[in-house]
């Protein structure tokens, strides 16, 4: 049941994003009232950063929606029989398992808690427009609208049938007001239309986002990756590092995802190409990806991130507990990792396989430990310590995959060229050949798995196409809403008129 009057705004603030916090001394962080919060521009800024902070908790993008449940459902992990993390039944699509129910209900609550906080801002910002310095009203409102759409879209992708399966099915509530009233369920199409409406408004508001300026340079953290070299950037750390926020190009990327989900390929292509043609997100150089010195190695392909979640505790959450060594954490059998990355054929020189996986002897068998999110924890350089505090949300390669899918009908050669461009930057020189759209889709599914491994996107690709999930060692799980649609929380079924 989506009723919002009992949810408090989260305001655990990241110093990376904000320079002035004196006003927080007025009241304890979690007890700040709306009347106090929205009396200054700083209050709106802190409220917006509070949403990003909320999103980086482990119940949603801090773990579960990035490396967790969707990756398990996509069959991207091998899990030992003793199941130390309690995901084996999730991997088997047992949606009655208490551990699964607890996690998916927490995902639902986490997403809607963040949505409520978006609506808090959006419900107040227009009447307080006179509080803002030039440009900040548009920036804050645009990001809040974009985040509201982004969060609803992921709730839709998890908890409702796909557009391809049933566009008129009852789906989820699209909540646009902070109130104590219950929001009824919208259909799949209605949710997508609402998200598109919010994203288009966000795109207009963010038209003058500093990330679009010639002065904004994408680089590694040691180069500041900001506009701090400009007078305007130096004045306001709120403008710091737009790629850790839902910037203009992140809105375009989200629009590309949503329009593709709705099968509106012309609009999906237009938004994907806007990100690509901006030339703001350079491909990672091989010497950075393969660097011998750990503090210089860029396993995250950091410059290619259009949007990412900044998570200071990422190393402990991801590596110490989730991808811990051996079979105690999530891993792959050696056979599965080699199968996924086609190491016996075109993938023999795939840098992703060589850098993201390490083969270790586990008693009588070999397994591939997942090192994609690892960093040198003893290093004091900012590249090692900051570049590995982000979880990918949207990356450049996905825009190429979307462009490939949307181009094929009119120009098959252009479509395959988009895929070849990604592969060439990963060490694969051999170009793909496809006879039809089904063959193209199969190649794209393989590349989604390879390039976005551990980023929470592959499951949604299987679902959007309504095709069988390809598992390990030749296994296949037929397309079915019994797999693709996570059950709504019980109170939502009761009170949401299901």
């Amino acid at each position: 049941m989506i009723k919002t009057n009992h949810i408090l705004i989260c305001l655990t603030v990241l110093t990376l994003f904000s320079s002035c916090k004196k006003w927080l001394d007025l009241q304890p962080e979690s007890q700040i009232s709306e009347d106090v919060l929205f009396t200054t521009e700083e209050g709106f800024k802190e409220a917006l950063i509070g949403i990003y902070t909320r999103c980086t908790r482990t119940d949603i993008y801090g773990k579960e929606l990035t490396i967790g449940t969707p990756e398990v459902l996509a069959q991207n992990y091998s899990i030992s029989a003793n199941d130390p993390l309690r995901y084996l039944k999730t991997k088997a699509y047992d949606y009655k398992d208490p551990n699964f129910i607890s996690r998916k209900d927490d995902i639902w609550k986490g997403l809607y808690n963040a949505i409520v906080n978006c609506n808090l801002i959006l419900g107040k910002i227009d009447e307080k427009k006179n509080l803002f310095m030039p440009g900040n009203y548009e920036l804050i409102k645009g990001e809040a609208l974009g985040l509201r759409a982004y969060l609803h879209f992921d709730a839709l992708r998890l908890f409702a049938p796909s557009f391809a399966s049933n566009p008129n099915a009852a789906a989820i509530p699209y909540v646009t007001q902070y109130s104590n009233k219950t929001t009824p369920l919208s259909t799949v199409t209605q949710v997508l239309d609402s998200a598109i409406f919010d994203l288009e408004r966000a795109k207009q508001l963010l038209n003058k986002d500093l990330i679009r300026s010639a002065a904004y340079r994408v680089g590694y953290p040691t180069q500041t990756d900001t506009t701090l070299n400009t007078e305007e950037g130096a004045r306001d750390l709120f403008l710091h590092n737009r790629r850790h926020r839902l910037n203009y190009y992140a809105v375009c990327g989200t629009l590309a995802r949503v329009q593709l989900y709705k099968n509106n390929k012309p609009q999906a292509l237009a938004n994907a190409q806007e990100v690509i043609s901006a030339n703001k997100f350079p491909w990672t150089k091989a010497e950075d990806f393969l660097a011998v010195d750990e503090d210089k190695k860029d396993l995250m392909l950091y410059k290619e991130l259009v949007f990412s979640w900044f998570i200071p505790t990422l190393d402990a959450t991801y590596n110490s507990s989730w991808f811990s060594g051996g079979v105690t954490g999530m891993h792959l059998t050696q056979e599965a990792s080699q199968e996924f990355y086609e190491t016996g054929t075109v993938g023999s020189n795939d840098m992703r396989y060589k850098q993201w996986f390490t083969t270790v002897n586990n008693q009588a068998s070999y397994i591939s430990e997942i090192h994609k999110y690892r960093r040198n924890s003893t290093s004091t350089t900012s590249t090692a310590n900051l570049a590995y505090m982000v979880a990918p949300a949207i990356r450049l390669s996905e825009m190429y995959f979307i462009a490939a899918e949307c181009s094929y009908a009119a120009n098959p050669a252009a479509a395959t060229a988009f895929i070849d461009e990604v592969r060439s930057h990963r060490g694969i020189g051999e170009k793909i050949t496809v006879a039809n759209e089904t063959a193209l889709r199969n190649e794209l599914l393989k590349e989604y798995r390879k390039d976005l491994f551990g980023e929470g996107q592959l499951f949604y690709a299987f679902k959007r196409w309504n095709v069988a999930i390809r598992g390990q060692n030749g296994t296949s799980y037929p397309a079915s809403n019994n797999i693709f649609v996570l059950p709504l929380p019980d109170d939502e079924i009761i009170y949401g008129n299901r």
Side-chain angles (χ1 to χ4, degrees), residues 1-9 30-34 112-113 115-117 119-120 175 177-183:
M1 175 177 58
I2 302 303
K3 297 178 75 171
T4 61
N5 59 324
H6 298 304
I7 303 179
L8 292 173
I9 192 162
S30 62
Q31 302 297 320
I32 297 170
S33 70
E34 292 177 54
Y112 276 99
N113 181 252
I115 288 167
V116 164
N117 292 334
N119 288 332
L120 271 169
V175 185
Q177 292 184 332
Y178 179 75
S179 73
N180 60 359
K181 296 179 180 179
T182 300
T183 303

Side-chain angles (χ1 to χ4, degrees), residues 263-280:
N263 201 34
N264 187 342
K265 291 183 178 178
Q267 283 299 311
L269 176 61
N271 280 282
Q273 286 187 315
E274 187 163 3
V275 178
I276 293 168
S277 63
N279 295 317
K280 284 286 183 180

Side-chain angles (χ1 to χ4, degrees), residues 58-60 62-95 97-104 106-107 317 321-323 328-331 486:
T58 56
D59 56 347
I60 43 179
K63 189 196 80 172
E64 207 56 55
L65 292 184
T66 304
I67 58 172
T69 294
E71 290 294 285
V72 174
L73 296 176
Q75 303 299 312
N76 266 354
Y77 301 133
S78 304
I79 302 176
S80 60
N82 63 341
D83 193 18
L85 298 175
R86 300 294 182 264
Y87 280 81
L88 200 55
K89 290 186 177 181
T90 299
K91 189 172 185 287
Y93 308 111
D94 180 357
Y95 292 166
D97 170 51
N99 291 303
F100 168 81
I101 292 171
S102 176
R103 286 192 297 267
K104 64 93 179 175
D106 284 345
I107 291 170
T317 302
S321 58
W322 189 258
F323 295 130
T328 59
M330 296 296 175
H331 61 282
L486 276 58

